[in-house]
Amino acid sequence: MKVGIIGQGYVGLTISSFAAQHFEVIGFDSNEKIVEQLNLGVSHIEGVKSSILKKFVGSGQFKATSRGKDIEDCEVIVIAVPTPLTADRLPDLSFIESACKTIGENVSREVLVINESTSYPGTLRKFIKPAIEKYSSQSLEHLYAISPERVDPGRNDFNQNNTPRLYSGLSPEATTRTRAFYSTFCDNLVEVSSPEVAEAAKLFENTFRQVNIALVNELAQIAHSIGLNVYEILDAASTKPYGFMKFSPSAGVGGHCIPVDPTYLALVAEEHGAPATFIRLANKVNLDMSEYIVNRIVADHGGNLSGKDVLIVGVAYKPNVADVRETAAQLVIHHLRNYGANVRWHDEIVGEWRGEYSASLSGAEITIVVTKHDSVDEKKILESAPYVFDTTGKISSKFSL
Ligand SMILES: NC(=O)c1ccc[n+]([C@@H]2O[C@H](COP(=O)([O-])OP(=O)(O)OC[C@H]3O[C@@H](n4cnc5c(N)ncnc54)[C@H](O)[C@@H]3O)[C@@H](O)[C@H]2O)c1
């Protein structure tokens, strides 16, 4: 069977690498540079090894392309493109629309279309299906299903095989065929009664994380204000064997999912006259953490950071990945520069970011640890400045959240 996967980023390339064990996979991406690299067997995603990609490219099990015609005879097409927010913080479905255009204009047979991109309930039924039909010159009765992606890049214990996968089709046949497709590489498939349930569940999973992270970020501020250590409180609370789940404080939430997906849910809520109080508040608390941290550091330095040489350790949004989307480091740097500090950053996994390059891990007056990759030596961090402020809970510094 030939499978087309639209979007070859974190989600799409991961799915390609599992699907290629069983099917011929066409990885379609609009970015020609990515396509060129993938066809040379070079992966740009943590968790997909270049050696494995090279093997699939060599055997013909995987081919990347930017040519719409190459998906024409696929039997299954998976959509895995970005779903960000617009500048006005509204759902931006333009990437999905363009994926639908590629499918509509090129597919010449009836196929199973599965959406893995995260979006609000109703996207499959009310947006994807009509969009593909709009762009198609033939009247083809495609099957449509959803299976929201749960991949956590950089994680080794859970992968496509052992992470339970939700799925549901717009018709019983779509549901059955979706199950058959994923059962080739996923051991735990969970059918739900409608695509809308799966879409809403995905949004709620990330909203749950966003709200709990905000709560623990408030706890960090409360703990500091009364002279207690937040990590000690969390370790103590974690001894309760039921009804408690530990989240860790941080400089804020980053990535393509947690700062974005809950807003999709909030907008649906507000559109239907339902409250989204927690979501809106959690977003604010998490965004404000960067300013809170910088204010703590300013207070420790007599109210003045002007001309201070400040080093940020880790600008990726989480450990061991190069992903800087929505990273909290950006806001921390913004506030520090507003105070007149000279800011540089060290992150060899990211390397280059916004026209700046990873600086050496030494010689600063103030170091702030925003993200701690496993490969960065704690001793070196502590030696990089006389004042080291840790926001990660991973460094034994006198100054921390
Ligand atoms: N990254 C994660 O950890 C994660 C986890 C679960 C769900 N998701 C969701 O999965 C979706 C994809 O996220 P991602 O992290 O893989 O994004 P990504 O930015 O890593 O990759 C998206 C890829 O799609 C390509 N693309 C964009 N528009 C295209 C188009 N019209 N046609 C073909 N290719 C196109 C881009 O060039 C890019 O390579 C999003 O909805 C996201 O919310 C992401």
Side-chain angles (χ1 to χ4, degrees):
M1 187 164 82
K2 203 166 171 182
V3 175
I5 301 183
I6 317 264
Q8 290 294 295
Y10 281 92
V11 169
L13 188 59
T14 305
I15 296 297
S16 294
S17 71
F18 278 81
Q21 294 166 24
H22 309 275
F23 311 111
E24 184 187 342
V25 172
I26 303 295
F28 177 88
D29 201 290
S30 47
N31 183 327
E32 287 176 10
K33 268 197 189 138
I34 288 179
V35 166
E36 197 180 302
Q37 289 297 302
L38 294 180
N39 282 329
L40 293 171
V42 179
S43 166
H44 61 116
I45 296 300
E46 301 87 11
V48 177
K49 288 199 182 111
S50 292
S51 55
I52 291 181
L53 195 62
K54 224 170 245 154
K55 194 184 91 186
F56 289 137
V57 171
S59 67
Q61 289 291 98
F62 175 80
K63 185 183 122 180
T65 185
S66 288
R67 262 174 34 110
K69 271 273 159 229
D70 291 342
I71 64 160
E72 135 186 89
D73 55 347
C74 288
E75 286 168 60
V76 173
I77 297 190
V78 176
I79 302 175
V81 295
T83 43
L85 295 170
T86 62
D88 304 332
R89 293 193 70 77
L90 294 171
D92 178 359
L93 296 195
S94 61
F95 299 93
I96 292 206
E97 165 129 28
S98 135
C100 291
K101 186 167 188 274
T102 302
I103 297 169
E105 288 179 348
N106 293 288
V107 169
S108 59
R109 58 188 292 175
E110 285 172 357
V111 295
L112 169 65
V113 177
I114 306 172
N115 180 36
E116 287 212 18
S117 305
T118 308
S119 186
Y120 53 80
T123 301
L124 181 73
R125 195 185 300 272
K126 295 189 186 142
F127 189 92
I128 292 179
K129 181 173 183 283
I132 292 177
E133 287 169 356
K134 179 178 84 183
Y135 288 113
S136 180
S137 56
Q138 309 168 52
S139 84
L140 298 166
E141 288 292 321
H142 299 310
L143 298 173
Y144 293 90
I146 173 95
S147 185
E149 183 51 56
R150 289 170 161 166
V151 66
D152 188 4
R155 185 168 196 132
N156 297 321
D157 50 353
F158 283 101
N159 56 38
Q160 295 295 322
N161 292 137
N162 62 358
T163 308
R165 180 176 272 284
L166 303 177
Y167 70 99
S168 186
L170 282 185
S171 65
E173 195 190 346
T175 305
T176 307
R177 283 199 45 205
T178 302
R179 181 175 187 91
F181 171 65
Y182 286 110
S183 63
T184 57
F185 58 86
C186 177
D187 297 336
N188 193 345
L189 292 163
V190 184
E191 184 180 327
V192 293
S193 69
S194 71
E196 286 76 10
V197 171
E199 289 165 326
K202 170 68 194 176
L203 291 186
F204 187 67
E205 288 163 21
N206 283 345
T207 302
F208 175 83
R209 282 183 61 73
Q210 183 213 41
V211 169
N212 280 286
I213 292 168
L215 188 60
V216 80
N217 278 336
E218 276 207 334
L219 178 70
Q221 298 176 52
I222 296 167
H224 178 72
S225 72
I226 55 176
L228 290 177
N229 181 308
V230 65
Y231 300 106
E232 221 184 317
I233 300 172
L234 288 170
D235 287 345
S238 300
T239 60
K240 184 176 177 185
Y242 50 87
F244 182 80
M245 187 181 280
K246 185 174 170 181
F247 284 82
S248 303
S250 61
V253 292
H256 182 43
C257 298
I258 299 173
V260 174
D261 300 351
T263 301
Y264 272 60
L265 190 56
L267 289 162
V268 170
E270 287 157 2
E271 228 178 83
H272 289 80
T277 327
F278 274 107
I279 300 175
R280 295 299 190 194
L281 258 184
N283 199 32
K284 178 173 171 8
V285 170
N286 289 329
L287 283 172
D288 288 351
M289 268 317 271
S290 50
E291 196 170 5
Y292 166 75
I293 287 163
V294 171
N295 286 340
R296 288 261 313 264
I297 294 163
V298 170
D300 286 348
H301 289 81
N304 187 9
L305 291 185
S306 184
K308 290 263 188 250
D309 184 9
V310 181
L311 180 67
I312 302 294
V313 173
V315 295
Y317 85 88
K318 69 172 185 176
N320 310 323
V321 300
D323 195 344
V324 288
R325 288 177 290 183
E326 309 269 338
T327 174
Q330 187 165 338
L331 282 175
V332 173
I333 292 172
H334 168 79
H335 295 305
L336 288 165
R337 287 186 174 149
N338 276 351
Y339 273 105
N342 297 322
V343 188
R344 55 201 172 91
W345 52 267
H346 172 84
D347 191 324
E348 285 180 352
I349 297 186
V350 171
E352 185 189 348
W353 177 48
R354 301 194 304 162
E356 296 174 17
Y357 294 88
S358 177
S360 94
L361 181 52
S362 61
E365 292 175 276
I366 297 170
T367 289
I368 306 169
V369 188
V370 172
T371 300
K372 164 77 174 72
H373 298 306
D374 292 346
S375 55
V376 185
D377 185 40
E378 177 177 357
K379 195 162 161 274
K380 271 192 157 175
I381 294 176
L382 290 168
E383 286 169 358
S384 66
Y387 174 99
V388 175
F389 189 97
D390 179 40
T391 70
T392 67
K394 291 182 177 170
I395 305 292
S396 356
S397 173
K398 215 167 94 190
F399 308 99
S400 67
L401 277 176

